[in-house]
Amino acid sequence: SRGYVPASWNRMEIAPRIAFGIQKGFYLEAGAVLQRYFYDGRFGFQATAIYAGAEWVPARNGGRNIFGPKIGAELVYNGGTGGIEIKYLTDSKNSDVMITPKYGFGLGLITLFYGYNISTNKYILDRVRRHQLSIAINTNMLFYEKKYNKKRK
């Protein structure tokens, strides 16, 4: 049946991940996520995700592009979501390592987050500040139905 997703999958499955948001300047993120989803009738659903990717903050008003790698983890429990990520950002002149605890609401596929960037270099990058609002899309649920149906046949 169309749209059928099994109650759970216990193995971490890999899929693309994209995100975008604002942290003084607009930013984009792209990478890969390992995600697991499970459902229990007594407690509801839970999704676990571990991801790696790259972040890019476009140049503005003659400034420099800001970019760098990031890693993170998220846990979704009945719509409430928590996570943490670590990222190294640079504009080729200055750099900063940031730790970002995140909280939000989502269903494992799309999540709205508020994050608080903790700088290790006094917020030296001009378009990355303390507060971050973002939407993250872990595409695993879009692909899992096809993978699961192939395994069932």
Side-chain angles (χ1 to χ4, degrees):
S1 69
R2 182 150 170 49
Y4 173 77
V5 175
S8 63
W9 67 81
N10 294 323
R11 277 187 1 172
M12 297 292 264
E13 297 282 348
I14 192 165
R17 171 191 166 90
I18 56 172
F20 58 92
I22 296 172
Q23 52 192 358
K24 188 172 183 190
F26 174 79
Y27 79 94
L28 292 171
E29 170 189 332
V33 62
L34 285 170
Q35 189 176 35
R36 175 176 50 201
Y37 174 89
F38 50 97
Y39 177 82
D40 180 307
R42 296 172 294 166
F43 301 111
F45 76 91
Q46 180 176 340
T48 306
I50 300 169
Y51 60 91
E55 184 173 311
W56 172 62
V57 182
R60 193 176 73 187
N61 299 330
R64 297 170 176 256
N65 286 309
I66 299 170
F67 54 91
K70 68 188 333 179
I71 59 171
E74 298 168 356
L75 177 64
V76 179
Y77 186 76
N78 286 328
T81 304
I84 191 159
E85 64 185 27
I86 299 171
K87 56 189 171 185
Y88 170 80
L89 296 175
T90 184
D91 65 2
S92 298
K93 183 178 176 185
N94 299 303
S95 61
D96 201 350
V97 173
M98 295 194 156
I99 301 166
T100 309
K102 307 184 306 179
Y103 306 95
F105 301 98
L107 299 174
L109 175 64
I110 298 176
T111 306
L112 173 64
F113 281 110
Y114 165 77
Y116 188 82
N117 289 320
I118 300 167
S119 171
T120 62
N121 198 12
K122 300 179 183 175
Y123 300 96
I124 196 164
L125 300 167
D126 65 344
R127 287 180 319 284
V128 182
R129 291 291 181 248
R130 289 177 173 86
H131 305 285
Q132 177 188 83
L133 289 174
S134 63
I135 294 175
I137 303 166
N138 293 320
T139 63
N140 215 325
M141 288 182 161
L142 300 175
F143 299 114
Y144 190 76
E145 178 187 0
K146 290 179 185 176
K147 288 182 190 177
Y148 182 76
N149 284 335
K150 284 181 185 176
K151 290 177 187 176
R152 285 184 6 181
K153 291 181 181 179

